[in-house]
């Protein structure tokens, strides 16, 4: 199924606490599901069986956390081979990962580490993205990540870095609005300026989630309801992204399925009424 055939374009992250509920095949307001690639690449048991059952009823996107696309050592072939096998099995409509590095060639730190915003980083990413897209024989979509430190050697702003990588590599962008909000708070920039300087014609998917406020900084926990500020920024760009698939993410403190479904319905409502919000848009 292609995204253009969605009744609504808002999906939900597929999480194990919801397996039992979804196995009953209830009617839902969810248009599609996003599965974490690594959770199913090495599975031959219940997780992959559940993903295939979901795939019978819904479109599925694959979202990775360990490709290590920013590594100067290149991308591990055994990882890509497993990912390609999963793609052939699930037939996702989007394959994405993060614009970050996750360790060395033989050590995965299991974290999304920030890259310096430099010309050297852009060249490394363009080379790695070209290799991955050729290996997988399909476009790769990359997400802007939350960060808590910055490099003294940065040569450009984050929005220029993200835009440059996409334009020169041909990859699409997964715009995580929560991550823009987190980074604007942590690093003190204007999130509206960021959103205005991202090439929306290169954005292929949107993420919405909630961080945890630790007083002096925001941490991207995906453990809370989507905050009003993130909804405000979503409303701001909704007229420009109405045609894109939007995802509600929750990775910790996962509530009942029906509770997350209300956030899906809220996003659908905003998208369906975004023409009015475009006419009445005010600065956030």
């Amino acid at each position: 199924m292609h995204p253009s055939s969605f009744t609504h374009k808002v999906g939900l992250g597929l999480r194990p606490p919801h397996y039992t509920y979804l196995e009953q095949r209830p009617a839902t307001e969810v248009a599609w599901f996003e599965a974490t690639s690594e959770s199913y690449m090495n599975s031959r048991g219940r997780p992959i069986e559940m993903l295939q059952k979901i795939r019978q009823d819904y479109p599925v996107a694959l979202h990775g956390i360990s490709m290590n696309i920013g590594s100067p050592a290149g991308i591990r072939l055994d990882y890509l081979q497993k990912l390609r096998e999963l793609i052939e099995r699930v037939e996702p409509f989007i394959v994405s990962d993060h614009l970050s590095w996750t360790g060395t060639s033989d050590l995965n730190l299991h974290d999304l580490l920030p890259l310096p915003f430099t010309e050297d980083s852009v060249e490394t990413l363009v080379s790695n993205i070209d290799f991955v897209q050729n290996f997988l024989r399909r476009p790769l979509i990359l997400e802007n990540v939350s960060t808590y430190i910055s490099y003294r050697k940065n040569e450009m702003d984050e929005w220029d870095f993200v835009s440059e990588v996409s334009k020169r590599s041909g990859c699409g962008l997964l715009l995580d609005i929560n991550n823009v909000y987190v980074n604007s708070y942590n690093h003190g920039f204007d999130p509206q300026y960021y959103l205005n300087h991202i090439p929306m014609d290169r954005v292929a998917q949107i993420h919405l989630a909630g961080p945890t406020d630790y007083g002096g900084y925001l941490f991207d926990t995906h453990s809370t309801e989507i905050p009003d500020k993130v909804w405000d920024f979503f409303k701001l760009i909704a007229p420009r992204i109405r045609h894109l698939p939007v995802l509600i993410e929750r990775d910790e403190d996962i509530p009942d399925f029906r509770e997350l479904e209300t956030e899906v319905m809220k996003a659908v409502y905003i998208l369906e009424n975004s023409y009015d919000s475009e006419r009445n848009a005010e600065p956030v």
Side-chain angles (χ1 to χ4, degrees):
M1 183 179 296
H2 189 275
S4 61
S5 64
F6 294 178
T7 302
H8 301 298
K9 296 183 175 65
V10 181
L12 186 65
L14 180 62
R15 301 294 180 259
H18 297 150
Y19 283 176
T20 301
Y21 177 78
L22 291 171
E23 278 179 322
Q24 301 169 19
R25 293 193 164 185
T28 78
E29 298 295 329
V30 177
W32 56 280
F33 283 92
E34 183 182 84
T36 303
S37 304
E38 289 78 4
S39 297
Y40 301 92
M41 285 167 59
N42 299 307
S43 171
R44 297 185 184 278
R46 178 170 164 76
I48 189 65
E49 291 174 359
M50 190 63 212
L51 180 58
Q52 289 181 309
K53 286 181 180 177
I54 289 294
R55 184 64 186 87
Q56 293 174 11
D57 298 328
Y58 296 92
V60 166
L62 290 178
H63 186 51
I65 55 176
S66 295
M67 185 176 286
N68 200 10
I69 195 70
S71 170
I75 311 301
R76 287 172 42 206
L77 277 177
D78 61 333
Y79 177 92
L80 286 183
Q81 183 60 43
K82 291 178 181 177
L83 179 58
R84 188 161 72 180
E85 291 171 2
L86 182 63
I87 290 170
E88 292 170 352
R89 200 168 183 178
V90 177
E91 297 181 336
F93 69 92
I94 280 180
V95 175
S96 65
D97 207 287
H98 295 81
L99 200 51
S100 65
W101 64 287
T102 59
T104 63
S105 57
D106 56 358
L107 176 64
N108 185 359
L109 299 175
H110 299 284
D111 208 347
L112 303 172
L113 304 170
L115 292 163
F117 304 144
T118 63
E119 180 62 28
D120 285 347
S121 291
V122 173
E123 291 181 2
T124 297
L125 285 161
V126 169
S127 175
N128 286 345
I129 292 167
D130 181 65
F131 180 80
V132 169
Q133 292 189 143
N134 283 318
F135 189 90
L136 298 180
R137 298 190 290 270
R138 62 178 300 147
L140 180 64
I141 312 300
L142 290 171
E143 176 184 344
N144 57 300
V145 298
S146 294
T147 59
Y148 313 96
I149 61 169
S150 58
Y151 292 91
R152 292 179 180 176
K153 62 184 295 186
N154 281 347
E155 297 168 355
M156 58 190 91
D157 292 313
E158 181 182 342
W159 48 88
D160 291 328
F161 178 76
V162 171
S163 302
E164 192 67 12
V165 170
S166 179
K167 290 174 182 175
R168 287 170 53 177
S169 71
C171 77
L173 295 176
L174 195 171
L175 179 59
D176 189 312
I177 298 176
N178 169 66
N179 291 349
V180 173
Y181 170 54
V182 167
N183 289 358
S184 70
Y185 185 93
N186 292 343
H187 301 299
F189 61 77
D190 179 357
Q192 191 168 331
Y193 187 87
Y194 185 117
L195 294 172
N196 287 339
H197 286 78
I198 288 293
M200 286 297 172
D201 61 334
R202 304 210 62 83
V203 176
Q205 188 184 340
I206 302 292
H207 271 185
L208 299 172
T212 298
D213 188 345
Y214 283 96
Y217 68 100
L218 297 179
F219 192 66
D220 183 27
T221 55
H222 293 185
S223 63
T224 65
E225 293 181 358
I226 297 168
D228 290 342
K229 275 291 185 183
V230 172
W231 283 121
D232 288 342
F233 293 126
F234 180 58
K235 291 175 185 173
L236 188 70
I237 66 168
R240 290 182 283 165
I241 52 92
R242 296 181 83 249
H243 60 294
L244 298 178
V246 175
L247 183 85
I248 306 295
E249 279 190 307
R250 183 71 69 88
D251 292 320
E252 296 181 16
D253 299 328
I254 299 174
D256 179 81
F257 186 91
R258 292 291 187 187
E259 184 175 328
L260 289 180
E261 203 172 24
T262 61
E263 291 192 323
V264 170
M265 295 166 67
K266 181 174 180 175
V268 170
Y269 178 84
I270 291 171
L271 290 172
E272 289 182 342
N273 292 277
S274 59
Y275 290 124
D276 288 335
S277 62
E278 183 179 35
R279 286 195 294 269
N280 301 318
E282 296 179 356
V284 177

